[in-house]
Amino acid sequence: MMATAVPATANVFGRAIVMPNLQPPVVDAEQAVAYYDRLKGCLADNSQFEPLMTLYLTDQTTPEMIKAAAASGVVKACKLYPANATTNSAHGVTDVAGLNDTFAEMEKQGILLLVHGEVTDHDIDVFDREKEFIERHMVHVVKANPNLKIVFEHITTADAVEFVLESSVNVAATITPQHLMYNRNDLLVGGVKPHNYCLPVLKRNTHQKALQKAVASGSSKFFLGTDSAPHLKSAKESSCGCAGCYSAPAALELYAHIFDQLGCLDKLEGFASHYGADFYGLPRNTDTVTLVNEAWPMPEQVTVGDEPLVPFFAGQIINWKVQ
């Protein structure tokens, strides 16, 4: 899987935030460095691609572990998964407030907090879980840690857009191709479409339009975050299909496609290349890629070993292509 997904990302992007929800998860600096080395081993010798590593927060993550992560030189952020909120999140956080000392050390060390923002209570509707997480947790984490840089990952609702816009300069958000291009009709109408199933789940079109308005505004608080998640066809098309859309083979092209449809292609460079780097305190890339207005079909599948994997937007026409 790594031999397929890593080059697909490195082909276009200069770097990527690497999420830590492996099995077992990447919970400390030593594991992050080992994962970094494995990723670099999947690249051509002349590749300049840089994986930016993250730690998986658990209830047992300590300030000392954050200090070690910062000292490693490869860990840029920690990811907060509420326990059982998404794929491979069983070891996630059950008590957000219990990590206050850890958040304080992250703030001190310049380690960012990346948040999968959903509650997991069974009695909370799956379409309301992001909104509930904002009210129950995000408001308090931001207030308690005003200088901690926080990325609200893969936001899906108008509520999240409003929260980010009303928060300080230390709060930003990423938006995926699938949440810009699709709403829950594209998941449920005419039969369930498992390759469009992701978490947070696609929402109603009013929320989709709020995300589109956010990126079209050109606000530096919103930037590219694919949440690209490669899962084999057999794992997606099963009685308990796993969550995640694999957009890596054409991520930049997919964003160009939707930005063009929204009439805001002039906002793509900031969204894709400037705002994220600036928020992370990283230098902007100086190399460029060229997108051309050329239609081409996303492959129906890619092969991982001898098994098929269906990418996001499979078989459909994308109007832009990296030259």
Side-chain angles (χ1 to χ4, degrees):
M1 188 68 82
M2 288 177 68
T4 298
V6 176
T9 298
N11 186 47
V12 172
F13 295 99
R15 54 198 165 204
I17 287 290
V18 179
M19 292 305 175
N21 55 330
L22 306 185
Q23 291 181 306
V26 179
V27 298
D28 61 34
E30 183 178 0
Q31 293 172 352
V33 170
Y35 189 19
Y36 174 89
D37 291 340
R38 289 165 56 206
L39 291 164
K40 294 290 275 189
C42 294
L43 299 168
D45 291 341
N46 63 346
S47 175
Q48 299 299 306
F49 178 78
E50 185 65 9
L52 307 175
M53 309 309 294
T54 61
L55 293 192
Y56 182 115
L57 291 174
T58 72
D59 292 337
Q60 288 74 46
T61 305
T62 64
E64 289 68 30
M65 294 167 73
I66 300 302
K67 291 177 185 176
S72 75
V74 302
V75 176
K76 304 301 180 185
C78 294
K79 182 68 178 283
L80 192 164
Y81 296 99
N84 301 309
T86 188
T87 306
N88 296 349
S89 62
H91 301 281
V93 175
T94 64
D95 179 14
V96 176
L99 289 175
N100 283 341
D101 291 344
T102 298
F103 294 151
E105 189 61 38
M106 289 169 60
E107 184 177 315
K108 188 183 301 182
Q109 297 293 337
I111 298 289
L112 280 69
L113 174 63
L114 316 182
V115 181
H116 180 113
E118 292 188 285
V119 299
T120 58
D121 311 53
H122 186 69
D123 61 334
I124 303 296
D125 190 288
V126 68
F127 294 104
D128 297 329
R129 291 181 175 186
E130 185 172 279
K131 181 178 187 293
E132 181 69 20
F133 187 91
I134 294 169
E135 297 170 355
R136 194 183 301 182
H137 299 297
M138 284 293 281
V139 170
H140 303 293
V141 171
V142 169
K143 184 177 180 180
N145 305 275
N147 297 314
L148 176 63
K149 284 193 169 183
I150 300 173
V151 181
F152 201 164
E153 297 287 358
H154 43 59
I155 61 169
T156 65
T157 60
D159 308 275
V161 170
E162 182 180 4
F163 174 78
V164 171
L165 287 173
E166 292 179 351
S167 296
S168 78
V169 294
N170 289 324
V171 179
T174 60
I175 304 179
T176 73
Q178 63 264 26
H179 290 108
L180 286 171
M181 299 179 83
Y182 285 167
N183 59 61
R184 63 189 187 184
N185 281 2
D186 299 289
L187 174 65
L188 300 170
V189 172
V192 176
K193 300 172 182 64
H195 299 287
N196 292 345
Y197 173 55
C198 57
L199 289 170
V201 72
L202 296 168
K203 303 299 194 294
R204 64 168 64 243
N205 67 341
T206 51
H207 292 294
Q208 177 194 15
K209 288 177 180 177
L211 300 178
Q212 293 174 345
K213 182 179 178 181
V215 300
S217 75
S219 169
S220 61
K221 278 179 161 280
F222 305 99
F223 47 83
L224 183 150
T226 63
D227 199 34
S228 182
H231 297 293
L232 295 174
K233 183 178 181 180
S234 58
K236 293 288 288 182
E237 298 180 8
S238 69
S239 60
C240 186
C242 57
C245 298
Y246 181 55
S247 58
L252 196 59
E253 294 93 329
L254 287 163
Y255 280 116
H257 183 97
I258 185 62
F259 273 59
D260 188 16
Q261 290 184 341
L262 295 173
C264 61
L265 264 178
D266 60 314
K267 304 298 193 299
L268 180 61
E269 184 178 25
F271 178 86
S273 302
H274 297 164
Y275 307 151
D278 295 347
F279 192 79
Y280 273 81
L282 298 169
R284 292 182 178 182
N285 289 319
T286 55
D287 291 343
T288 64
V289 295
T290 300
L291 285 153
V292 293
N293 191 194
E294 179 182 326
W296 63 287
M298 176 70 97
E300 293 281 358
Q301 63 184 44
V302 297
T303 302
V304 180
D306 57 358
E307 294 192 67
L309 185 160
V310 178
F312 177 69
F313 220 60
Q316 299 188 68
I317 299 298
I318 304 175
N319 292 332
W320 289 86
K321 191 171 188 177
V322 172
Q323 194 173 61

